[in-house]
Amino acid sequence: MTQRPALIAFLLLLFGSFAFAAPASAERIKDMGQFQGLRANQLTGYGIVVGLAGTGDDSLDYSTLGMKGAISRFGLTLPAGINPALKNAAAVMITAELPPFAKPGQRLDVTVSAIGKAKSLRGGTLVLAPLYGADGNIYAMVQGNLVIGGLGVDAADGSKLTVNVPSSGRIASGATVERAVDTGFTASDWLTFNLHQFDATNAKRVADAINASIPGSASMIDGASIAIRAAGNGDERMRLMSRIENLGVERAEPPAKVIVNARTGTVVINGAVRVGTAAITQGKLTVSIKESPMVVQPAPFSRGETAVEPSSDISVTEEARPVFLMKPSASLAELVDSINRLGVAPGDLVAILEALSQAGALTAELVII
């Protein structure tokens, strides 16, 4: 109950900002999407972290095989039937992101995560390992000391203390790019600009803004993509892209949506939502059952048995709530004002919005996540 006033105040502040928002201003095209082909590529790899203070995998077969492979690089071969004790080593998966136009010699940040039962990677060093792309080729090599943001401690009596996740860490600038990805940037006479979200109005406005700056160069492919004529070499194309990215476009008003998170009770309503004529009320019915069993003793020398006699007290209370009439095409501010007058909890608010949608009085898409 103590959270309701704070929740209502937050909703008033949030929705009030929509009601009194300033007119839409122009946004840069670069904030509305990106050029096709200028994408990052995911890299993955497998490696061994050594130098741990007894917090490694110990008997994990993957660690054993990996360590044997690492040792064999230096011309050393373990005798048959002998496995190294790897309490100070751990098998890990390595992930990184190769940005567009990355060139050999550039550095990448990598994330290292334990595969097996390693308790902590704190103080460990990753042995040289390759990073592969989706095509199976090696695009980077990684090695270095891990930075761990977590801490794990085990006591002799079995008690444990864990802060964050000590079995995962990062190596800043730990990977070196060995191969560049061909983006095909200069292979076509056209550039394609893709919006982050499908919207035919925004696509038209972007195309119009580009044509106003560079007449006849842009045309819509669909509601999410714009084709732009671009001849010349890489320098000319990059200058053209820079010019286009900084053009201003007034973004169209988004579709009316009500987003409901059924797990947390969070409700987000955008400013395009409208409500038709509807009467809203919300009641609260409470049923209380109180059990007061009584022990019944038999009379002396009656050879009876002690029994428990049930006694129930049932009461029903219903809280009266007024009915509020929503005017046709009510704005977001009016909707929030009526909801706050009802004083409903987030769970009841979801039920009201669902009922308005079923009644056809909610001009918005109701999305439940």
Side-chain angles (χ1 to χ4, degrees), residues 136-197:
N137 293 321
I138 297 175
Y139 286 90
M141 300 294 294
V142 58
Q143 178 174 281
N145 299 324
L146 274 71
V147 176
I148 307 298
L151 173 67
V153 179
D154 293 352
D157 61 354
S159 58
K160 299 180 180 181
L161 173 63
T162 302
V163 179
N164 296 330
V165 183
S167 57
S168 180
R170 289 179 61 83
I171 305 177
S173 301
T176 304
V177 177
E178 302 293 337
R179 181 198 298 259
V181 177
D182 183 12
T183 60
F185 180 63
T186 59
S188 174
D189 293 333
W190 295 84
L191 295 175
T192 302
F193 185 83
N194 297 322
L195 298 177
H196 291 314
Q197 295 178 337

Side-chain angles (χ1 to χ4, degrees), residues 264-334:
T264 63
T266 304
V267 180
V268 177
I269 307 172
N270 71 7
V273 174
R274 296 292 182 270
V275 178
T277 303
I280 303 176
T281 185
Q282 189 265 343
K284 185 175 182 181
L285 183 67
T286 304
V287 180
S288 300
I289 302 177
K290 182 179 180 181
E291 297 288 350
S292 302
M294 300 178 61
V295 178
V296 180
Q297 297 287 355
F301 307 106
S302 64
R303 296 184 180 181
E305 297 181 355
T306 301
V308 177
E309 180 179 345
S311 176
S312 302
D313 182 15
I314 302 177
S315 61
V316 179
T317 58
E318 183 173 8
E319 183 178 349
R321 295 289 179 90
V323 178
F324 291 95
L325 178 64
M326 300 299 300
K327 299 179 181 179
S329 300
S331 66
L332 176 61
E334 293 170 331

Side-chain angles (χ1 to χ4, degrees), residues 11-363:
L11 289 174
L12 279 173
L13 179 62
L14 176 63
F15 297 147
S17 64
F18 286 113
F20 300 102
S25 58
E27 296 186 21
R28 297 177 303 176
I29 289 180
K30 69 189 304 182
D31 298 324
M32 301 176 65
Q34 64 181 16
F35 284 95
Q36 184 172 299
L38 307 187
R39 46 157 292 184
N41 291 274
Q42 286 71 40
L43 305 179
T44 57
Y46 168 84
I48 297 293
V49 173
V50 298
L52 305 178
T55 59
D57 289 326
D58 193 14
S59 61
L60 186 65
D61 290 340
Y62 287 115
S63 300
T64 303
L65 294 175
M67 184 56 68
K68 287 182 178 181
I71 293 176
S72 65
R73 298 177 191 171
F74 305 101
L76 301 176
T77 303
L78 293 177
I82 296 180
N83 292 325
L86 298 178
K87 198 66 176 177
N88 292 340
V92 295
M93 289 299 296
I94 312 163
T95 58
E97 191 172 86
L98 185 67
F101 302 118
K103 299 299 187 293
Q106 293 183 336
R107 311 287 292 187
L108 306 175
D109 296 343
V110 299
T111 300
V112 180
S113 305
I115 297 176
K117 297 182 178 180
K119 298 178 181 178
S120 175
L121 300 181
R122 180 176 291 275
T125 299
L126 179 66
V127 179
L128 183 66
L131 294 179
Y132 297 87
D135 57 1
N137 293 321
I138 297 175
Y139 286 90
M141 300 294 294
V142 58
Q143 178 174 281
N145 299 324
L146 274 71
V147 176
I148 307 298
L151 173 67
V153 179
D154 293 352
D157 61 354
S159 58
K160 299 180 180 181
L161 173 63
T162 302
V163 179
N164 296 330
V165 183
S167 57
S168 180
R170 289 179 61 83
I171 305 177
S173 301
T176 304
V177 177
E178 302 293 337
R179 181 198 298 259
V181 177
D182 183 12
T183 60
F185 180 63
T186 59
S188 174
D189 293 333
W190 295 84
L191 295 175
T192 302
F193 185 83
N194 297 322
L195 298 177
H196 291 314
Q197 295 178 337
F198 171 86
D199 192 302
T201 304
N202 282 330
K204 176 183 178 299
R205 292 184 180 183
V206 169
D208 290 346
I210 296 174
N211 285 327
S213 177
I214 312 170
S217 62
S219 60
M220 290 190 296
I221 300 175
D222 50 39
S225 301
I226 298 95
I228 306 164
R229 189 182 301 276
N233 56 25
D235 178 76
E236 293 175 343
R237 290 182 174 230
M238 292 305 299
R239 292 180 183 276
L240 175 64
M241 290 170 57
S242 175
R243 180 177 176 181
I244 291 173
E245 285 182 340
N246 289 283
L247 294 176
V249 174
E250 185 175 330
R251 186 188 293 267
E253 187 176 6
K257 284 189 178 182
V258 177
I259 311 297
V260 177
N261 189 322
R263 296 182 298 274
T264 63
T266 304
V267 180
V268 177
I269 307 172
N270 71 7
V273 174
R274 296 292 182 270
V275 178
T277 303
I280 303 176
T281 185
Q282 189 265 343
K284 185 175 182 181
L285 183 67
T286 304
V287 180
S288 300
I289 302 177
K290 182 179 180 181
E291 297 288 350
S292 302
M294 300 178 61
V295 178
V296 180
Q297 297 287 355
F301 307 106
S302 64
R303 296 184 180 181
E305 297 181 355
T306 301
V308 177
E309 180 179 345
S311 176
S312 302
D313 182 15
I314 302 177
S315 61
V316 179
T317 58
E318 183 173 8
E319 183 178 349
R321 295 289 179 90
V323 178
F324 291 95
L325 178 64
M326 300 299 300
K327 299 179 181 179
S329 300
S331 66
L332 176 61
E334 293 170 331
L335 173 61
V336 173
D337 181 64
S338 296
I339 290 173
N340 286 327
R341 282 188 289 168
L342 287 173
V344 298
D348 297 329
L349 174 58
V350 173
I352 291 174
L353 292 173
E354 289 179 340
L356 284 172
S357 178
Q358 291 294 325
L362 185 65
T363 309

